[in-house]
């Protein structure tokens, strides 16, 4: 074992079959007294692995987020060779734009906005930095699926984040309805770790961000989880917010409606959980996917 490699508490992609084990880490690291989340909210997050707030942001914030969403779409369309612009698996259509918390003033401010960053600090019980940010556009008619997965499985194996002490904050930039490919979450699935089968191809992210085929649970694992957790889809208007724990199994279907399902995701990691080396491949993924700037976000 490499001297600076931490012990791998969540080995994955090592065998020919999935192995499901119990989570080894707490879910909630802070306390109600820390605020702003109350005891009931912390208990719901511990139990389900997510908290959903319809219409969390109002029309003024939303106008600024939406204008920036359209501006980035327009500029990304022309950015032929940027690694940070991911296209749909079978077309040139923009699927995702990464690292928006560094390239966009609007989303940089959003990432540090105390209304979401303070909740992330409370859930993670420490100062936080942004591990990753992205906009998933899921455009009308052409937006393809995001297959079932645990984000942590990838952020552990490929980015080297050692423990489950991360939270994603997703903001609906357009309405998420039951029919336009809404985010689906499996309540309680964060309590188990699904060690996936297979390995990690070289430069895996160049394929996985378009269509993920490695580091995804098998059908048998998904049936096992579905029996215990079920599936929920937190639908709601633009401006809704979903905080979801890094190990909650989630996914979304393709969008064949005329209505885009565009969401921005800010991924917070505890400053006490920084990666050193990937637990799978020889090298961590590039900065735009797994940040190597661990500077704590400013408070207030
Ligand atoms: O690989 C990643 O980091 C990305 N993949 C998915 C499907 N969700 C999390 C993250 O954006
Ligand atoms: Fe994900």
């Amino acid at each position: 074992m490499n001297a600076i490699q931490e012990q791998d508490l969540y080995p994955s992609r090592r065998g020919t079959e999935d192995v499901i084990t119990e989570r080894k880490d707490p879910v909630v690291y802070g306390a109600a007294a820390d605020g702003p989340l109350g005891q009931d909210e912390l208990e719901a997050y511990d139990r389900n692995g997510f908290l959903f707030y319809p219409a969390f942001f109002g029309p003024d914030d939303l106008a600024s987020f939406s204008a920036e969403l359209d501006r980035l779409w327009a500029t990304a369309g022309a950015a032929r060779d940027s690694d940070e612009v991911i296209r749909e698996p079978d077309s040139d259509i923009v699927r995702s734009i990464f690292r928006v918390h560094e390239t966009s003033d609007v989303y940089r401010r959003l990432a540090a906005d105390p209304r979401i960053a303070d909740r992330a600090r409370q859930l993670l019980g420490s100062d936080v930095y942004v591990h990753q940010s992205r906009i998933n556009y899921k455009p009308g008619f052409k937006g393809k699926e995001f297959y079932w997965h645990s984000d942590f499985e990838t952020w552990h194996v490929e980015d080297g984040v050692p423990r489950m002490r991360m939270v994603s904050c997703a903001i609906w930039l357009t309405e998420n309805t039951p029919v336009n490919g809404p985010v689906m979450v499996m309540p309680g699935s964060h309590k188990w770790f699904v060690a996936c089968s297979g390995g990690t191809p070289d430069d895996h992210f160049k394929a996985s961000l378009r269509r993920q085929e490695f580091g995804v649970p098998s059908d048998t694992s998904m049936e096992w989880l579905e029996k215990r957790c079920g599936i929920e889809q937190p639908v709601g208007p633009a401006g809704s917010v979903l905080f979801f724990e890094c190990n909650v199994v989630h996914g979304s279907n393709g969008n064949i409606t005329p209505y885009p399902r565009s969401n921005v995701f800010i991924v917070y990691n505890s400053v006490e959980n920084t990666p050193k080396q990937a637990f799978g491949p020889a090298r961590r993924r590039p900065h735009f996917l797994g940040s190597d700037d661990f500077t704590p976000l400013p408070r207030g």
Side-chain angles (χ1 to χ4, degrees):
M1 183 167 77
N2 182 307
I4 63 165
Q5 179 75 62
E6 299 202 31
Q7 187 200 357
D8 187 352
L9 292 179
Y10 296 104
S12 185
R13 306 186 206 176
R14 301 283 183 85
T16 54
E17 302 286 329
D18 288 11
V19 177
I20 300 179
T21 54
E22 291 206 349
R23 173 195 188 98
K24 296 181 176 68
D25 290 303
V27 176
V28 176
Y29 289 81
D34 305 334
L37 297 168
Q39 188 59 32
D40 291 354
E41 290 170 292
L42 295 181
E43 286 171 4
Y45 183 84
D46 183 75
R47 186 171 58 253
N48 297 319
F50 61 88
L51 290 168
F52 182 57
Y53 299 94
F56 183 90
F57 285 106
D60 294 349
D61 286 312
L62 207 47
S64 141
F65 302 160
S66 299
E68 188 69 350
L69 174 79
D70 297 342
R71 185 185 74 79
L72 290 169
W73 172 271
T75 48
R80 308 307 316 152
D81 53 359
S82 162
D83 275 348
E84 301 179 4
V85 175
I86 309 298
R87 295 178 188 278
E88 291 290 357
D90 44 16
S91 78
D92 233 9
I93 290 176
V94 174
R95 176 177 171 89
S96 306
I97 300 177
F98 279 83
R99 204 169 63 91
V100 294
H101 70 291
E102 291 183 337
T103 60
S104 155
D105 286 340
V106 168
Y107 292 121
R108 178 201 318 275
R109 280 196 298 277
L110 174 60
D113 189 314
R115 290 172 288 181
I116 55 176
D118 284 349
R119 286 170 166 80
R121 291 184 185 103
Q122 184 181 8
L123 292 170
L124 304 182
S126 71
D127 269 324
V128 298
Y129 72 95
V130 177
H131 173 73
Q132 180 188 108
S133 69
R134 67 197 180 276
I135 293 174
N136 286 343
Y137 277 86
K138 204 183 279 281
F141 299 117
K142 304 287 185 196
K144 301 299 179 204
E145 79 283 357
F146 287 81
Y147 191 71
W148 293 114
H149 63 282
S150 153
D151 290 340
F152 177 76
E153 195 278 348
T154 293
W155 296 337
H156 178 74
V157 171
E158 298 189 58
D159 299 342
V161 178
R163 308 297 289 262
M164 295 179 183
R165 193 171 177 182
M166 309 171 82
V167 59
S168 288
C169 177
I171 296 102
W172 295 181
L173 300 177
T174 63
E175 184 179 8
N176 278 222
T177 77
V179 297
N180 68 343
V183 172
M184 300 184 291
V185 288
M186 301 187 87
S189 56
H190 62 304
K191 301 274 192 183
W192 291 282
F193 179 68
V194 180
C196 300
S197 60
T200 304
D202 292 344
D203 284 343
H204 177 222
F205 67 90
K206 292 190 175 162
S208 70
L209 297 175
R210 303 185 78 179
R211 180 170 280 137
Q212 188 173 355
E213 292 170 353
F214 291 83
V216 292
S218 66
D219 294 356
T220 308
S221 297
M222 286 310 303
E223 286 162 351
W224 189 94
L225 284 171
E226 202 285 329
K227 249 193 236 99
R228 288 156 180 80
C229 305
I231 298 172
E232 286 187 20
Q233 44 177 219
V235 292
S240 301
V241 168
L242 177 74
F243 290 91
F244 62 106
E245 207 273 340
C246 60
N247 187 44
V248 160
V249 171
H250 62 287
S252 60
N253 289 314
N255 181 10
I256 56 171
T257 73
Y259 314 107
R261 192 240 64 187
S262 303
N263 299 335
V264 60
F265 297 75
I266 312 285
V267 180
Y268 297 98
N269 188 18
S270 166
V271 292
E272 295 165 22
N273 188 37
T274 53
K276 293 183 183 58
Q277 267 203 326
F279 286 96
R283 282 191 321 279
R284 294 183 61 230
R285 297 190 303 175
H287 169 73
F288 78 90
L289 287 173
S291 178
D292 51 19
D293 176 0
F294 308 142
T295 311
L297 276 182
R299 289 173 177 262

